[in-house]
Amino acid sequence: LLAKVSAGETVPFTILTTPRQGACEVIYMIATLLEGEARDSYTLQYSRLAQHLDPDRSDAIMLSAKILDDMERYQLASDTYALVPPDSLQFPAAETGRIDALREIGADETAIEVARNLTRSHPDLPFVHAKLADTLRGTSDFAGAFDAYSAALDLYSTEDPVRWRVYFTRAIAAHSLDNWTQAEQDFRAALALSPDQPQV
């Protein structure tokens, strides 16, 4: 874009192409400014109106879902997260939010299925495997959780600071499987990565 402008080319404005999208942009901006400053129910009116004006606007959908989460309206939050289309860059984050909302309403089996589908659609993202593992561990499927944590660890960069937590939670799964040797190994790996971590 910079090269085209520098060369004096005419650059089409494509970010907003209709008055409706322009109105959505302004209303969404107001919602983001109100977030944390006004009542959730008030801010939600703006984010929902932005959604209405541009139903494909993923960040407006995500904001509405987050606000509903904060209001403990978990079924509505789950339904809203589900509106983010699979081709959106925010889809993995939306699905992890949906998983948490489903677990809050006791829909554990649905949450597990959503998590499994996410690992199939985005197999290269380590955090989706960790989310599946957390979900399985929450339902006492410790063997499944251990395998999913292992898949996550295989994908995380050795430089990623979150790895201590994955080792720590995999150790909990191993301990629940009465495999203390593996649990101790993972607890020590977590401690090596985060020596001052009181949980470890």
Side-chain angles (χ1 to χ4, degrees), residues 7-89:
E9 293 182 35
T10 300
V11 179
F13 189 79
T14 58
I15 295 173
L16 302 172
T17 58
T18 67
R20 193 177 180 96
Q21 287 178 331
C24 173
E25 180 68 24
V26 173
I27 291 165
Y28 172 73
M29 199 177 305
I30 293 170
T32 60
L33 291 171
L34 288 172
E35 187 186 10
E37 301 296 325
R39 291 190 318 276
D40 286 337
S41 58
Y42 184 70
T43 307
L44 183 63
Q45 294 177 61
Y46 284 92
S47 64
R48 286 295 207 193
L49 182 54
Q51 274 184 260
H52 174 72
L53 289 168
D54 189 354
D56 297 327
R57 176 104 189 220
S58 293
D59 49 3
I61 297 169
M62 291 290 287
L63 180 57
S64 293
K66 180 185 178 299
I67 293 169
L68 288 164
D69 249 338
D70 292 342
M71 295 172 70
E72 299 182 1
R73 300 297 300 273
Y74 299 117
Q75 183 62 62
L76 283 172
S78 172
D79 295 343
T80 304
Y81 280 124
L83 296 174
V84 174
D87 60 350
S88 169
L89 292 175

Side-chain angles (χ1 to χ4, degrees), residues 92-107:
E95 289 293 86
T96 57
R98 185 174 163 217
I99 291 163
D100 290 338
L102 286 166
R103 292 193 63 201
E104 288 287 352
I105 60 174

Side-chain angles (χ1 to χ4, degrees), residues 175-199:
H175 181 258
S176 299
L177 293 167
D178 293 325
N179 186 349
W180 174 246
T181 301
Q182 180 66 54
E184 182 182 11
Q185 182 179 322
D186 283 349
F187 279 132
R188 291 191 182 281
L191 198 60
L193 291 169
S194 187
D196 298 323
Q197 183 55 241
Q199 286 178 283

